[in-house]
Amino acid sequence: MGIFDRLRKTGRDITIEQLKQEPYEQKYFEECRLIWKTYVPRAGQSEVLQGELLREIEKLREEAQGNGNRNWDGDFSCFCDFIRETLCSQPIYGAQEKIQIELIMRFLKDCGEYSERFSSGKIPDDEVDIERIAYVRDNLYDRIADAVGKMQAEHPEPILYEKKPGIRR
C-alpha cells in the first residue's frame, strides 16, 4: 500500500487545487537564509544536499515567475524529480507532508512540461490552457523551501552532495 492509499484511508485527502488556494507563510525562513548564504554557490551546483535542494526549488521558481517556463528543459524536470524523491525519502516528514511534497513537485513538473510542449508547437495557440503554463504564486515554492528548511533544522550538519554531471542550470 502506497502513501497515497494511507492518506485517503485516514480521510485526510488533499488535492493540488487545495494547496494552490491556501496562502502559506514560511516557518523555516531563517534556516533557508542560512542554507542560501552558506551552501548555495553563485553559479553551479552545491556540494551540500540542503544547498542543492534549495538552489533547485529557487531555480524552478525563477523559471516560472521570471520566464513563464519558456526555457523549460530536462534539467528542470530532473530538479522536480530529485526534490520530490529526496524529500519524500526523509523520515523527518510525516505522511501528509510527503503527500504535499509529492503533489506540488508533480504539479510543477507538469506545468513545465506542458509549457515545453506549447513552446515547441505541439500544443496550438488556440488550444493552450494558460493556467497550465507556469505556476507563479509563491505559496507552493515556499512550502518546498520550508521542507528544506525543516531538513536543515533537523540535520544542521551539512549533508554532502555529489554533483550531477550534465546539469547546466
Side-chain angles (χ1 to χ4, degrees), residues 2-19:
I3 193 165
F4 288 107
D5 297 326
R6 285 195 303 276
L7 196 61
R8 277 194 201 100
K9 288 182 180 181
T10 63
R12 294 182 285 160
D13 285 355
I14 189 156
T15 67
I16 192 63
E17 292 306 317
Q18 289 170 317
L19 291 172

Side-chain angles (χ1 to χ4, degrees), residues 113-168:
E113 291 180 348
Y114 184 85
S115 178
E116 186 177 33
R117 288 191 306 277
F118 173 66
S119 296
S120 69
K122 293 178 182 164
I123 300 171
D125 288 353
D126 60 342
E127 293 179 21
V128 71
D129 179 355
I130 200 70
E131 295 294 318
R132 288 188 62 196
I133 296 274
Y135 188 78
V136 297
R137 293 182 52 215
D138 284 319
N139 62 339
L140 298 183
Y141 301 99
D142 287 349
R143 282 180 183 274
I144 300 301
D146 235 18
V148 178
K150 180 177 180 176
M151 176 189 257
Q152 177 66 28
E154 295 284 326
H155 301 287
E157 68 285 345
I159 301 168
L160 294 181
Y161 171 75
E162 188 173 324
K163 296 179 181 181
K164 293 180 195 145
I167 297 290
R168 51 188 183 98

Side-chain angles (χ1 to χ4, degrees), residues 65-130:
Q65 292 177 346
N67 300 319
N69 283 340
R70 284 188 305 260
N71 301 314
W72 191 274
D73 61 18
D75 282 0
F76 292 117
S77 292
C78 181
F79 292 169
C80 290
D81 293 338
F82 178 72
I83 292 167
R84 177 179 49 78
E85 292 166 7
T86 302
L87 293 178
C88 286
S89 72
Q90 301 299 312
I92 63 170
Y93 307 109
Q96 190 164 9
E97 290 171 300
K98 289 180 180 182
I99 288 295
Q100 290 178 18
I101 292 165
E102 180 92 24
L103 288 171
I104 291 168
M105 296 315 302
R106 287 189 187 277
F107 172 72
L108 295 178
K109 182 178 179 181
D110 182 64
C111 288
E113 291 180 348
Y114 184 85
S115 178
E116 186 177 33
R117 288 191 306 277
F118 173 66
S119 296
S120 69
K122 293 178 182 164
I123 300 171
D125 288 353
D126 60 342
E127 293 179 21
V128 71
D129 179 355
I130 200 70

Side-chain angles (χ1 to χ4, degrees), residues 3-54:
I3 193 165
F4 288 107
D5 297 326
R6 285 195 303 276
L7 196 61
R8 277 194 201 100
K9 288 182 180 181
T10 63
R12 294 182 285 160
D13 285 355
I14 189 156
T15 67
I16 192 63
E17 292 306 317
Q18 289 170 317
L19 291 172
K20 286 167 48 178
Q21 297 306 314
E22 289 178 10
Y24 187 81
E25 188 172 328
Q26 282 189 268
K27 299 169 189 74
Y28 295 94
F29 182 80
E30 290 305 318
E31 289 83 354
C32 288
R33 183 190 325 217
L34 174 86
I35 293 168
W36 193 262
K37 286 181 168 183
T38 310
Y39 303 132
V40 178
R42 289 191 186 274
Q45 299 174 63
S46 177
E47 294 180 354
V48 173
L49 181 61
Q50 297 96 317
E52 186 58 18
L53 289 165
L54 191 60

